[in-house]
Amino acid sequence: MALSSSSSAAAALLNGSGSISSSFAVCYYGPHHKASWLYSDRRTLSLVPSTTVGRNPFVIVKKPSRAELKSSDSSAVPDLANTLIAPSTNDHEDYEKLARGMESASPLEIMDKAFQKFGNDIAIAFSGAEDVVLIEYAKLTGRPFRVFSLDTGRLNPETHQFFDTVEKHYGIRIEYTFPNAVEVQALVRTKGLFSFYEDGHQECCRIRKVRPLKRALKGLRAWITGQRKDQSPGTRAEIPVVQIDTSFEGIDGGKGSLVKWNPLANVKGQDIWNFLRAMNIPINSLHSQGYISIGCEPCTRPVLPGQHEREGRWWWEDAKAKECGLHNGNIKQEELSQHININGNGVAQHTNGSAPASDLFNSQKLVSFRRTGIENLARLQNREDPWLIVLYAPWCHFCQAMEGSYIELAEQLEGMGVKVGKFRADGDHKEFAKQKLQLVSFPTILFFPKHSSKPVKYPAETRDVDSLMAFANALR
């Protein structure tokens, strides 16, 4: 009887002829934890300590002697189906400790470790963007690897073409997963093709991305993502290089049955692009059109110089909601309920209507408006001075990113006859700001001219001093 090449410990129990020694038998637990009896009858075997070969345990069982069988009542013979304990899904690995130990490891080293540990039970999640670098690293390990992707039915044609290019370049077949046609049909017939512009992207993403991913991951013990800490300051800043996936389950089911590897967690976006160019790796042609983060066609657009890459995703929503649900485990538990219970647009409102974050734009050059003050300013037909007002939320990372430039702008406008202010428009004030102040997402910047009651909304998403100054100068 032949065993796998990795079964050296079990093979030592074989005679030179390849048959099992008369006093032992072997039970092999495969990756799905289904016992394969390689020898003898399990009803007449007693359990002895197990031997682990590689990551697949071989349970060695001893055949009792005739004397033992005569003196033993059949009811006393242990039932190995109940006695044998299947190995732990993740071998009791302390993944927090492993993540700390690999914090400074290279992506190649992390990928190699992942493949070494999980073999054919791990796959790379490929979105059709710069995460193609994961496939290059996989190739460099010299190990066999699998790649899967979610085809939502709303991808750009360029992304489909890129999938084909990648398959040919690496000589692989991507394992595509598709949404449930009945669920998609029900959504579209009920709410139309573009309902996400009205009530948020979560429902559509849940049907087209999250549920298909859940099905795909049920056939794995681990998966590899292209997440980076610098991709989304609000949700990905603390991701480790490896972790237990708290959002999905693996092949064995239950909490802790799936491991998520993030080999690029500590790599900067610019370093990714340097590597892509150095290795002459094919890229999605959308990147040359200004796209950085690429998702579905209706929900992705190019970004301008100086904008964060995630500003091109679900741009009509607030910064706090820039996750589709595939990586909700990144969001702290106390934030998660806020993230998904918010009129679809991802405004993280607390029960008291405010968010626990330090205030922004603190400068003597700025006037801080309360609700009554901003209402009065909006009603005025003639103002003594024009005003530039930012509608903001302290927890919004895009608001935080523009704080320095806005304060500098206030200092420059001080001697030019333009007053600068701020109004916190989240929580209880958000509905008012949406109805009266043109708020769609944070931050929103308004210019209140001297002789007009209607404010002018700043249309661009570049918020550097020069761009904002040009806006103010054109209107003042």
Side-chain angles (χ1 to χ4, degrees), residues 346-358:
V347 179
Q349 180 177 330
H350 289 242
T351 54
N352 63 2
S354 62
S358 300

Side-chain angles (χ1 to χ4, degrees), residues 354-418:
S354 62
S358 300
D359 201 16
L360 300 176
F361 310 111
N362 297 313
S363 170
Q364 294 181 350
K365 306 298 182 182
L366 277 84
V367 175
S368 181
F369 279 82
R370 294 184 180 276
R371 170 76 171 264
T372 303
I374 199 73
E375 287 176 336
N376 290 335
L377 180 67
R379 279 197 294 263
L380 287 175
Q381 295 292 330
N382 291 286
R383 305 177 183 87
E384 292 183 5
D385 299 290
W387 282 86
L388 189 71
I389 307 290
V390 60
L391 311 181
Y392 73 101
W395 46 259
C396 170
H397 291 276
F398 301 115
C399 298
Q400 295 167 13
M402 68 165 285
E403 182 176 23
S405 60
Y406 194 70
I407 291 174
E408 183 180 344
L409 177 70
E411 294 171 350
Q412 293 188 25
L413 289 175
E414 185 180 24
M416 300 174 64
V418 179

Side-chain angles (χ1 to χ4, degrees), residues 4-122:
S4 66
S5 59
S6 63
S7 319
S8 56
L13 299 173
L14 301 178
N15 295 328
S17 61
S19 61
I20 299 287
S21 168
S22 61
S23 59
F24 286 93
V26 179
C27 173
Y28 165 63
Y29 267 84
H32 296 180
H33 299 159
K34 293 182 180 179
S36 299
W37 290 89
L38 305 185
Y39 181 75
S40 196
D41 182 349
R42 64 185 173 95
R43 292 173 299 173
T44 62
L45 302 177
S46 56
L47 186 64
V48 300
S50 65
T51 299
T52 298
V53 182
R55 64 181 180 85
N56 294 317
F58 285 79
V59 179
I60 312 303
V61 290
K62 183 181 180 183
K63 295 175 66 177
S65 65
R66 288 188 179 135
E68 289 172 328
L69 286 174
K70 286 183 179 180
S71 62
S72 299
D73 183 270
S74 60
S75 62
V77 177
D79 182 355
L80 292 183
N82 295 320
T83 305
L84 294 180
I85 300 175
S88 172
T89 303
N90 293 313
D91 301 328
H92 301 288
E93 179 76 69
D94 185 342
Y95 284 98
E96 290 185 5
K97 182 178 179 181
L98 180 61
R100 290 192 298 269
M102 302 194 74
E103 186 67 15
S104 59
S106 69
L108 182 60
E109 183 181 352
I110 297 168
M111 293 279 284
D112 190 67
K113 180 71 172 179
F115 291 137
Q116 178 189 22
K117 184 168 183 60
F118 289 100
N120 197 50
D121 292 333
I122 189 171

